[in-house]
Amino acid sequence: QKEVEQDPGPLSVPEGAIVSLNCTYSNSAFQYFMWYRQYSRKGPELLMYTYSSGNKEDGRFTAQVDKSSKYISLFIRDSQPSDSATYLCAMSATRGGSNYKLTFGKGTLLTVNP
Amino acid sequence: DVKVTQSSRYLVKRTGEKVFLECVQDMDHENMFWYRQDPGLGLRLIYFSYDVKMKEKGDIPEGYSVSREKKERFSLILESASTNQTSMYLCASSIARSLAKNIQYFGAGTRLSVL
């Protein structure tokens, strides 16, 4: 089983739709959870991060972590064409010698159609 | 704002050439990373460094080496480029090895083609 699983999509939605992006993971040591957005031919940029379980909201974006299910989500409300990008989840553990390292999902390609 | 700068956006090299990819960060970060990104394979860690002159292998170090002579600069070296090293190369940095909240900040990437 891979440490982090993410549906690659592609996901295509109309403008204004609510988008749900998800990752599952197997390593119970993961404590920090991040979402990166990557536009075509650019480097990933940090969108949101959360610690342990719970929700975090930033404008139209909400990140959720359910550690009991080993499942994280990113919701985008009122999606815009400018949200069209690849979204990568990433995680890090607090135990062991690898707490510098992020484990990434492979990314979900999202297209928001005007 | 954290800035991670990769020296080239696009590079075209020939098989067997020695290739240098340079990365500079301006936020006094301890950790620096080199990844490659390929369709369907995601981001794969090649090497990272947690201090000057220190380096550790990532998941796919074969065919690569790195150099970190100064804190702000991390170089990736392809000793003898091969066509299977055609890829998008991404450099990243993060604050400190001891922090679990190890947010990584990425450069814009270098798209390398080896002919």
Side-chain angles (χ1 to χ4, degrees), chain B:
Chain B
D1 279 353
V2 175
K3 192 163 186 184
V4 179
T5 303
Q6 294 183 232
S7 55
S8 304
R9 290 299 310 276
Y10 301 95
L11 275 179
V12 180
K13 297 292 181 180
R14 296 206 176 275
T15 302
E17 277 194 78
K18 191 169 185 176
V19 181
F20 292 87
L21 303 182
E22 305 286 342
C23 176
V24 176
Q25 51 93 4
D26 67 356
M27 287 302 291
D28 202 35
H29 284 177
E30 291 185 10
N31 302 330
M32 295 188 75
F33 306 82
W34 275 106
Y35 294 88
R36 63 178 285 177
Q37 186 177 36
D38 301 287
L41 297 177
L43 282 163
R44 292 182 290 168
L45 181 64
I46 304 171
Y47 266 98
F48 72 94
S49 168
Y50 53 87
D51 202 351
V52 175
K53 297 190 187 295
M54 305 303 289
K55 61 185 179 185
E56 287 193 24
K57 294 179 180 178
D59 301 318
I60 52 161
E62 296 78 19
Y64 303 95
S65 62
V66 290
S67 173
R68 194 165 180 202
E69 297 296 319
K70 293 184 178 181
K71 191 175 185 179
E72 68 271 18
R73 188 178 298 268
F74 193 34
S75 302
L76 180 69
I77 304 154
L78 287 66
E79 295 290 342
S80 177
S82 64
T83 55
N84 64 11
Q85 292 178 310
T86 292
S87 187
M88 172 74 137
Y89 288 88
L90 289 160
C91 175
S93 71
S94 65
I95 293 175
R97 188 184 193 195
S98 59
L99 293 180
K101 189 181 78 175
N102 225 323
I103 296 168
Q104 292 184 16
Y105 298 88
F106 285 84
T110 296
R111 189 166 292 275
L112 173 66
S113 295
V114 182
L115 306 178

Side-chain angles (χ1 to χ4, degrees), chain A residues 20-100:
Chain A
S20 172
L21 304 167
N22 311 293
C23 288
T24 59
Y25 62 95
S26 58
N27 187 348
S28 58
F30 287 144
Q31 294 281 353
Y32 283 95
F33 304 91
M34 301 161 202
W35 286 95
Y36 284 82
R37 178 176 61 194
Q38 185 176 20
Y39 291 115
S40 181
R41 300 185 183 277
K42 299 285 179 69
E45 58 177 334
L46 181 71
L47 198 55
M48 297 188 73
Y49 76 88
T50 53
Y51 171 69
S52 195
S53 284
N55 292 1
K56 186 172 184 178
E57 189 173 319
D58 184 2
R60 295 184 295 110
F61 299 89
T62 299
Q64 284 187 354
V65 175
D66 181 350
K67 291 195 70 183
S68 61
S69 303
K70 296 190 177 68
Y71 188 87
I72 70 169
S73 301
L74 178 70
F75 297 97
I76 307 174
R77 291 185 299 280
D78 187 24
S79 56
Q80 302 295 309
S82 58
D83 295 327
S84 298
T86 296
Y87 290 81
L88 300 159
C89 63
M91 311 176 187
S92 69
T94 56
R95 294 192 295 274
S98 299
N99 61 357
Y100 51 81

